[in-house]
Amino acid sequence: MATSPPLLCLTITTLLVILNQCIAGVNTATTIPPKIGKGYRLISIEESPDGGLVGHLQVKQKNSIYGPDIPLLQLYVKHETEDRLRVHITDAEKQRWEVPYNLLPREQPPPLKQSIGRLRKNPVAQSEYSSSELIFSYKSDPFGFAVKRKSNGETLFDSSSDGSDPYGDLVFKDQYLEISTKLPKEASLYGLGENTQPHGIKLYPNDPYTLYTTDVSAINLNTDLYGSHPVYMDLRNVGGQASSHAVLLLNSNGMDVVYRGDSLTYKVIGGVFDFYFFAGPSPLAVVDQYTALIGRPAPMPYWALGFHQCRWGYHNLSVVEDVVENYKKAKIPLDVIWNDDDHMDFHKDFTLNPISYPREKLLAFLDKIHSQGMKYIVLIDPGISVNSTYGVYQRGIANDVFIKYEGKPYLAQVWPGAVNFPDYLNPKTVDWWVDEIKRFHELVPVNGLWIDMNEASNFCSGLCTIPKGKQCPTGTGPGWICCLDCKNITTSRWDDPPYKINASGLQVPIGFKTIATSAVHYNGVLEYDAHSLYGFSETIATHIALQGLEGKRPFILTRSTFVGSGHYAAHWTGDNKATWDDLKYSISTVLNFGIFGVPMVGSDICGFYPAPTEELCNRWIELGAFYPFSRDHANFYSPRQELYQWESVAESARNALGMRYKLLPYLYTLNYEAHMSGAPIARPLFFSFPNLIEVYGLSTQFLLGSSVMVSPVLEEGKSEVKVLFPPGTWYSLFDMTQAIVSKEAHYWTLDAPLHVINVHLYQNTILPMQQGGLVSKEARTTPFSLIVTFQAGAKEGEAKGNLYLDDDELPEMKLGNGYSSYVDFYSSVSDGTVKVWSDVEESKFALENGWTIERVTVLGLEGFGGKFALEVDGIPVVDTSKVEISATEQKFPQELEDGGDKKKSMMVDVTGLELPVGKKFKISWKMGSSG
């Protein structure tokens, strides 16, 4: 749901704030701020009982820029694993705010020493401290530290400063922390989000990177949006060999990150420096190590990988019923129907509008769609309507669950009018929230929850009261106009900190259109510190509630995210615009979230507002059918844009979603891999081709898993697309007789008429597919086929793939519980013989479900012929009379044929098989001659 028009205009007050900062030379794009202070010196360092290092740093020269320096700091360094190093710096004498350890579980640093004494000797003799992968080194005066890769000595992070650097030494004040690192020019950086990046997935020097969760429409470029992920991946290529690592600054306070190309500077308005370094060296290893710390991605139910339809403005239940029926008539797959806030009684959470969504009729509708395997999801916002007749609010007040300002629940405005915000850092609030979701589920058996507006969004700013003598909201005009009586809060240093981050891309006050930053959470925690955790803490509470309902796997979609959100929820990229640019930008945001450990991510297909053109909607569903999370969603004020509204879009949807539903076994297996190792579902090409510099900035194509490449049309009026093919053989998934062979990274221009998206499968892969269907439950019961790919004209080669199957209702996604099976597929070409075989773990579940493989298609063979043999569980199958083998010669682009490199390559189809997925099989045949 949108909250307000794009934040592209400012109040006079805000403009004056910026003008004053410009005059002062503070943090503007055109000035380089003066260096602050002389840093710290190391006065002691010793080994800690847990095998780490503990040191103390003393400020060298005090100054008052952005407030007084903290005189004494505690340094804690530990190799927590062989490939993860932690560097933690905080006030040595006083506890400071950190991301709560109960929200994001991790090791605790040692307690602060009561007395530092005058220890000036260094019991640790060496200035290097190493694990098997990373080396930590330091210099004492001024203090700086470096992290190096042990294998080649490469410096990954170096906080030391000299006179020629545009940044200074370590700064540590109560409300301003600064630290920098040198970077080699060849480093390619990714991450530091959430923002809409016009230059693509690579970080772009001198673009602003501000981290502070904000309800600003995603159409605003280079702006801090709904999530805060202070992590970046660094990919370097030296002599053709790539290595990558990641750096996380675990800090929830607002920050600007200044990336200059050869350096990066953090400017943070509170908290501590809590750095984690992940050694990689491959991009997949980096994400594995990162999610091992922050939490593995949540397992998704199978149906969540189907197609979803939503709209803000389904005014009554009959409209929703029509939408479902029209999808069926148009033969477009649909798994989940959503309601924005239209089902609510006057926008109040956990209610039903008795007139437009009468409970009895809604329950009958849900019985009907549930029987067909479809699901239903609704929206809830965190703002609870201040209404003495509203049970949710009454129970909230009785349990004292709301964020406070000067001892009273903080008053804000969202869709229902005046609201209070639950404080999810309070255990009592979590209990109350769990109970409210349980009550709502008894009212309406929803299949998941969509938590929106949780940055938190507020239509007003400052300290507000409910106006006397006038209705608020008025019930007419845009609902996002503030109608409370409000006054600015500028008296405290929390509302008006000395350093102004570039909030909302416009340096607005940090309490602008959100909770006042001097408001107070449980245990005296300030909103100033906890602001960017709000959506994350709500996500955890919602996950606890859903998991406790029926013992089923929860599905949550959240707008605001933080480090670790992917452990609980999926995400969409927020309020985008129906433009060709937004279509293109969506790819970078989706790929970034995979790096952030949130692999289940997508963008509003066809754009949230205003009206998409028919051509744009065609191209968007072709791309959106391959987002990990695939949902069409539109604005209240936009015309209808369900995929059946245009026959041309319906045709594109049937083609693209038809392929998605055939690929569901593959997508679900990727979901399992994400849950086990953090591996993104949608990935930049450099994940599979890290040595290929040409793909480092590629933001117009992406991979699903390691080997399915999606290359959409992203420009108006185009019927062809320029595609970069990494070296090797690529087969068109829509027409497997078509192949592209690249000897080196090469752009090919491919036909892409209106209803066509180019999707290619890489060599040496075995891809499990099913026959598709209009609902994933139905598609899941169809027979399997295996697509096996070799390099074109292969005489020798190996291919592999895998398949994970389980009862997707179960909360846990794992092997060994009796409700899951895992199959490894292998194939080889050698000595004129083709073999395809499987190895099965936990066969029981697959056998009970009766899944079979009816077809094996092998691509890239030099020829075929000769004797066919089949065995199941080691026993030869004598009667293979139903099995048919056919071959088709594959086609290559004209340019390749003209170049004299024409390959003789065959597609061999083996049909009529009835191989139980739960049993090991082996098929083989002599390749023979292709002539």
Side-chain angles (χ1 to χ4, degrees), residues 160-423:
S160 299
S161 164
D162 58 46
S164 63
D165 292 321
Y167 52 86
D169 288 303
L170 173 70
V171 180
F172 205 116
K173 298 164 186 281
D174 190 25
Q175 288 183 268
Y176 183 79
L177 285 64
E178 182 182 313
I179 196 168
S180 302
T181 178
K182 294 177 174 65
L183 290 167
K185 283 284 192 186
E186 66 272 12
S188 294
L189 267 53
Y190 310 87
L192 295 180
E194 173 179 13
N195 57 42
T196 300
Q197 297 173 201
H199 297 106
I201 50 174
K202 267 176 72 168
L203 299 192
Y204 196 78
N206 303 314
D207 270 0
Y209 294 96
T210 298
L211 283 82
Y212 191 73
T213 62
T214 310
D215 175 12
V216 174
S217 166
I219 72 170
N220 292 276
L221 307 180
N222 291 323
T223 301
D224 48 315
L225 300 179
Y226 315 104
S228 174
H229 295 270
V231 62
Y232 68 84
M233 181 186 286
D234 181 335
L235 178 62
R236 303 179 188 179
N237 192 306
V238 180
Q241 277 302 112
S243 61
S244 58
H245 65 277
V247 179
L248 165 67
L249 172 55
L250 187 57
N251 182 303
S252 63
N253 290 82
M255 68 179 82
D256 289 330
V257 185
V258 181
Y259 173 51
R260 301 179 187 88
D262 57 0
S263 69
L264 186 143
T265 299
Y266 297 91
K267 300 181 174 191
V268 194
I269 61 171
V272 303
F273 286 128
D274 195 2
F275 282 105
Y276 291 85
F277 300 90
F278 306 91
S282 71
L284 270 179
V286 167
V287 181
D288 186 359
Q289 294 152 15
Y290 181 58
T291 55
L293 172 71
I294 67 164
R296 299 295 192 193
M300 293 292 149
Y302 202 88
W303 53 262
L305 292 160
F307 181 68
H308 303 243
Q309 177 61 51
C310 184
R311 176 183 173 77
W312 177 27
Y314 287 147
H315 300 291
N316 57 49
L317 179 59
S318 64
V319 178
V320 176
E321 291 172 321
D322 282 350
V323 170
V324 172
E325 203 50 45
N326 283 325
Y327 266 94
K328 213 169 283 176
K329 276 185 197 162
K331 294 189 165 43
I332 301 170
L334 179 65
D335 257 75
V336 190
I337 187 74
W338 294 57
N339 265 127
D340 202 301
D341 72 350
D342 303 292
H343 65 286
M344 296 180 185
D345 184 25
F346 291 103
H347 307 287
K348 297 195 298 290
D349 281 345
F350 308 122
T351 64
L352 285 179
N353 185 312
I355 296 164
S356 47
Y357 282 85
R359 180 170 182 255
E360 292 72 23
K361 289 187 176 176
L362 180 58
L363 292 179
F365 168 69
L366 294 186
D367 282 345
K368 181 181 174 184
I369 66 166
H370 285 157
S371 70
Q372 297 163 359
M374 287 183 62
K375 307 295 180 183
Y376 178 61
I377 292 174
V378 300
L379 171 140
I380 47 174
D381 290 337
I384 300 299
S385 176
V386 175
N387 184 327
S388 60
T389 65
Y390 174 36
V392 178
Y393 172 73
Q394 291 171 326
R395 290 185 289 273
I397 289 291
N399 285 287
D400 193 21
V401 304
F402 297 116
I403 292 171
K404 301 279 180 54
Y405 188 86
E406 295 180 344
K408 296 177 185 170
Y410 177 75
L411 193 72
Q413 180 191 328
V414 204
W415 297 112
V419 298
N420 296 149
F421 286 116
D423 174 13

Side-chain angles (χ1 to χ4, degrees), residues 804-819:
Y804 175 80
L805 301 158
D806 76 353
D807 176 351
D808 72 314
E809 298 273 84
L810 293 176
E812 290 194 83
M813 189 180 217
K814 63 179 185 180
L815 286 169
N817 58 6
Y819 295 95

Side-chain angles (χ1 to χ4, degrees), residues 319-615:
V319 178
V320 176
E321 291 172 321
D322 282 350
V323 170
V324 172
E325 203 50 45
N326 283 325
Y327 266 94
K328 213 169 283 176
K329 276 185 197 162
K331 294 189 165 43
I332 301 170
L334 179 65
D335 257 75
V336 190
I337 187 74
W338 294 57
N339 265 127
D340 202 301
D341 72 350
D342 303 292
H343 65 286
M344 296 180 185
D345 184 25
F346 291 103
H347 307 287
K348 297 195 298 290
D349 281 345
F350 308 122
T351 64
L352 285 179
N353 185 312
I355 296 164
S356 47
Y357 282 85
R359 180 170 182 255
E360 292 72 23
K361 289 187 176 176
L362 180 58
L363 292 179
F365 168 69
L366 294 186
D367 282 345
K368 181 181 174 184
I369 66 166
H370 285 157
S371 70
Q372 297 163 359
M374 287 183 62
K375 307 295 180 183
Y376 178 61
I377 292 174
V378 300
L379 171 140
I380 47 174
D381 290 337
I384 300 299
S385 176
V386 175
N387 184 327
S388 60
T389 65
Y390 174 36
V392 178
Y393 172 73
Q394 291 171 326
R395 290 185 289 273
I397 289 291
N399 285 287
D400 193 21
V401 304
F402 297 116
I403 292 171
K404 301 279 180 54
Y405 188 86
E406 295 180 344
K408 296 177 185 170
Y410 177 75
L411 193 72
Q413 180 191 328
V414 204
W415 297 112
V419 298
N420 296 149
F421 286 116
D423 174 13
Y424 298 102
L425 299 182
N426 185 342
K428 273 169 51 178
T429 305
V430 175
D431 292 342
W432 162 81
W433 188 250
V434 167
D435 180 61
E436 294 302 337
I437 288 175
K438 181 170 177 284
R439 288 168 183 265
F440 181 59
H441 194 266
E442 287 165 359
L443 185 74
V444 188
V446 296
N447 303 105
L449 287 173
W450 170 18
I451 52 177
D452 193 13
M453 311 282 285
N454 52 354
E455 291 72 31
S457 178
N458 181 2
F459 299 163
C460 302
S461 300
L463 183 61
C464 304
T465 55
I466 297 173
K468 289 184 175 142
K470 70 171 182 178
Q471 188 179 336
C472 176
T474 60
T476 60
W480 55 73
I481 303 298
C482 179
C483 57
L484 300 178
D485 288 338
C486 303
K487 62 179 182 182
N488 286 336
I489 309 173
T490 56
T491 51
S492 87
R493 63 194 180 103
W494 311 116
D495 299 294
D496 186 24
Y499 175 80
K500 316 300 185 215
I501 62 168
N502 191 24
S504 300
L506 299 164
Q507 291 187 307
V508 299
I510 55 173
F512 181 72
K513 294 292 182 83
T514 188
I515 300 167
T517 39
S518 52
V520 179
H521 291 255
Y522 177 68
N523 264 356
V525 169
L526 286 167
E527 170 69 9
Y528 179 87
D529 293 314
H531 171 81
S532 288
L533 296 173
Y534 192 79
F536 180 44
S537 60
E538 185 198 13
T539 303
I540 294 172
T542 307
H543 191 270
I544 292 167
L546 288 184
Q547 202 156 40
L549 280 180
E550 298 173 311
K552 290 184 178 180
R553 190 174 299 173
F555 178 83
I556 301 164
L557 184 73
T558 179
R559 190 168 75 178
S560 185
T561 58
F562 186 71
V563 175
S565 286
H567 188 55
Y568 305 97
H571 173 67
W572 92 109
T573 65
D575 297 345
N576 59 3
K577 206 169 184 181
T579 71
W580 292 91
D581 280 343
D582 284 71
L583 172 67
K584 184 172 66 178
Y585 299 152
S586 73
I587 296 175
S588 295
T589 309
V590 165
L591 296 181
N592 261 331
F593 269 87
I595 293 171
F596 296 152
V598 190
M600 189 64 167
V601 59
S603 198
D604 282 349
I605 291 169
C606 297
F608 183 62
Y609 66 95
T613 64
E614 185 174 345
E615 183 190 359

Side-chain angles (χ1 to χ4, degrees), residues 523-790:
N523 264 356
V525 169
L526 286 167
E527 170 69 9
Y528 179 87
D529 293 314
H531 171 81
S532 288
L533 296 173
Y534 192 79
F536 180 44
S537 60
E538 185 198 13
T539 303
I540 294 172
T542 307
H543 191 270
I544 292 167
L546 288 184
Q547 202 156 40
L549 280 180
E550 298 173 311
K552 290 184 178 180
R553 190 174 299 173
F555 178 83
I556 301 164
L557 184 73
T558 179
R559 190 168 75 178
S560 185
T561 58
F562 186 71
V563 175
S565 286
H567 188 55
Y568 305 97
H571 173 67
W572 92 109
T573 65
D575 297 345
N576 59 3
K577 206 169 184 181
T579 71
W580 292 91
D581 280 343
D582 284 71
L583 172 67
K584 184 172 66 178
Y585 299 152
S586 73
I587 296 175
S588 295
T589 309
V590 165
L591 296 181
N592 261 331
F593 269 87
I595 293 171
F596 296 152
V598 190
M600 189 64 167
V601 59
S603 198
D604 282 349
I605 291 169
C606 297
F608 183 62
Y609 66 95
T613 64
E614 185 174 345
E615 183 190 359
L616 177 63
C617 211
N618 269 280
R619 293 309 191 185
W620 212 319
I621 185 52
E622 288 168 2
L623 167 58
F626 299 96
Y627 291 149
F629 172 62
S630 184
R631 184 183 74 154
D632 180 309
H633 179 43
N635 186 299
F636 186 92
Y637 300 98
S638 301
R640 296 286 289 272
Q641 64 182 47
E642 292 82 7
L643 303 178
Y644 54 77
Q645 297 288 351
W646 304 269
E647 181 43 45
S648 72
V649 176
E651 185 180 338
S652 292
R654 285 189 289 270
N655 289 345
L657 288 172
M659 180 57 75
R660 181 189 182 90
Y661 274 62
K662 290 175 184 176
L663 288 172
L664 284 176
Y666 178 66
L667 290 171
Y668 193 66
T669 302
L670 293 177
N671 171 33
Y672 172 70
E673 289 178 4
H675 180 56
M676 299 309 290
S677 70
I681 296 172
R683 306 171 190 175
L685 267 69
F686 67 75
F687 267 68
S688 286
F689 303 95
N691 294 332
L692 203 62
I693 292 173
E694 293 91 333
V695 303
Y696 285 11
L698 188 62
S699 308
T700 53
Q701 301 163 226
F702 61 95
L703 294 170
L704 291 174
S706 61
S707 49
V708 172
M709 184 169 73
V710 182
S711 307
V713 172
L714 301 171
E715 294 176 72
E716 187 174 10
K718 293 292 172 80
S719 57
E720 54 185 30
V721 63
K722 197 175 171 188
V723 179
L724 180 65
F725 285 93
T729 305
W730 296 87
Y731 299 92
S732 168
L733 210 47
F734 284 93
D735 179 359
M736 287 181 278
T737 65
Q738 301 284 333
I740 299 282
V741 177
S742 270
K743 284 193 169 176
E744 54 191 32
H746 190 76
Y747 276 100
W748 296 99
T749 299
L750 305 181
D751 286 339
L754 188 61
H755 306 304
V756 169
I757 180 169
N758 282 276
V759 181
H760 288 84
L761 181 61
Y762 194 49
Q763 66 188 37
N764 307 328
T765 301
I766 301 180
L767 181 71
M769 296 173 74
Q770 284 174 285
Q771 292 178 356
L774 295 182
V775 180
S776 65
K777 182 182 179 183
E778 164 198 323
R780 205 178 182 194
T781 62
T782 60
F784 279 85
S785 58
L786 301 179
I787 315 300
V788 182
T789 61
F790 292 108

